[in-house]
Amino acid sequence: MPQPRKIAAGNWKMHGLGESLSEARALAAAHTAPGVDILLCPPATLLSRLSEALAGSAVATGGQDCHTAAKGAHTGDIAAAMLADAGARYVILGHSERRADHGETSAQVAAKAQAAHAAGLIAIICLGETLSERDAGQTLEVVGAQLSQSLPGGADAANTVIAYEPVWAIGTGHTPGLEQIAEVHGFLRAGLPDPAIPLLYGGSVNAGNAAAIFAISDVDGALVGGASLKAADFSPVVTALEKSLR
Ligand code: 13P
């Protein structure tokens, strides 16, 4: 049975100007032969420059969203093929901030993932419960529905990654208990069309808590926001993931 790949992914969200390229270069310089996959997802305005700066390094790049259509009259939107053309290998889809800010539904996320796959991109599909859903005991029901509705047909370990990001853990400094993460990841693993699809945890991951999170079975890495912006913060998270393999 093939094991899921281990992935340390950074989501820069709406952060980063040209000066941030030096952080990406520093990260790549610190991990020239990593034992895990590393990627940074900058804002679209930086994607080309970041991909060029990281060419030949072990750090890949990704977009943060794509349109469902291959091209067309959609002012302000970006097609998956454009991300690939700008050097991306991945695209984050269905992040809770997009689900909240732009009303993205799981059906739209599935259509976007299909477009990403058609362009040769690996889709990182995000899901997670709100605090009120967790308090109401609905966590598994919510993430189970998001998983089944957000995955397109043909999703497998070569083209898809899942990121479990509890909404209440994002940017708050609060993470679920380790057993809560284990429960959700075990539940998600059982619902995957291909058990080798990597399952990332996201939400307030940092150098201090990464090792404990990576020790949980069914956690194959992390999708990191704030702590991915600086190489000095993200590099220890990458190292913790590498160490978890030993
Ligand atoms: P933080 O790591 O800043 O909590 O963000 C997590 C996240 O949303 C990554 O996609």
Side-chain angles (χ1 to χ4, degrees):
M1 182 94 100
Q3 291 301 304
R5 292 182 296 129
K6 303 292 176 183
I7 304 173
N11 174 9
W12 282 7
K13 307 190 180 186
M14 201 170 73
H15 299 283
L17 301 172
E19 65 203 23
S20 310
L21 297 177
S22 61
E23 295 295 336
R25 284 196 195 93
L27 181 73
H31 300 278
T32 52
V36 301
D37 292 355
I38 309 173
L39 67 129
L40 292 174
C41 300
T45 47
L46 277 183
L47 187 55
S48 270
R49 280 181 282 170
L50 204 70
S51 299
E52 278 167 25
L54 295 172
S57 83
V59 181
T61 61
Q64 299 180 8
D65 177 47
C66 72
H67 198 276
T68 55
K71 60 182 165 185
H74 301 289
T75 301
D77 280 315
I78 300 175
M82 296 169 182
L83 298 175
D85 185 52
R89 283 189 47 214
Y90 294 80
V91 59
I92 297 170
L93 295 172
H95 192 282
S96 63
E97 287 151 13
R98 292 208 57 88
R99 291 180 190 255
D101 293 355
H102 301 273
E104 283 188 12
T105 64
S106 291
Q108 285 170 326
V109 174
K112 289 179 176 208
Q114 201 161 30
H117 291 165
L121 295 176
I122 299 169
I124 303 175
I125 297 174
C126 303
L127 39 88
E129 82 286 3
T130 63
L131 190 55
S132 59
E133 288 164 343
R134 175 161 283 277
D135 288 345
Q138 297 168 341
T139 297
L140 298 185
E141 192 187 317
V142 167
V143 300
Q146 288 174 333
L147 180 69
S148 63
Q149 293 164 20
S150 304
L151 275 180
D156 62 23
N159 62 24
T160 301
V161 174
I162 302 292
Y164 168 56
E165 301 202 301
V167 177
W168 52 275
I170 294 175
T172 59
H174 301 301
T175 55
L178 300 180
E179 61 297 330
Q180 290 176 316
I181 297 175
E183 180 191 29
V184 175
H185 277 240
F187 172 79
L188 291 172
R189 177 79 67 208
L192 292 175
D194 175 351
I197 290 177
L199 281 178
L200 311 185
Y201 168 78
S204 296
V205 175
N206 57 42
N209 60 22
I213 291 170
F214 295 150
I216 302 170
S217 63
D218 291 316
V219 172
D220 303 312
L223 181 55
V224 182
S228 73
L229 296 173
K230 300 272 180 223
D233 295 330
F234 195 39
S235 180
V237 175
V238 175
T239 302
L241 186 59
E242 291 173 327
K243 284 189 177 158
S244 75
L245 301 179
R246 293 180 201 143

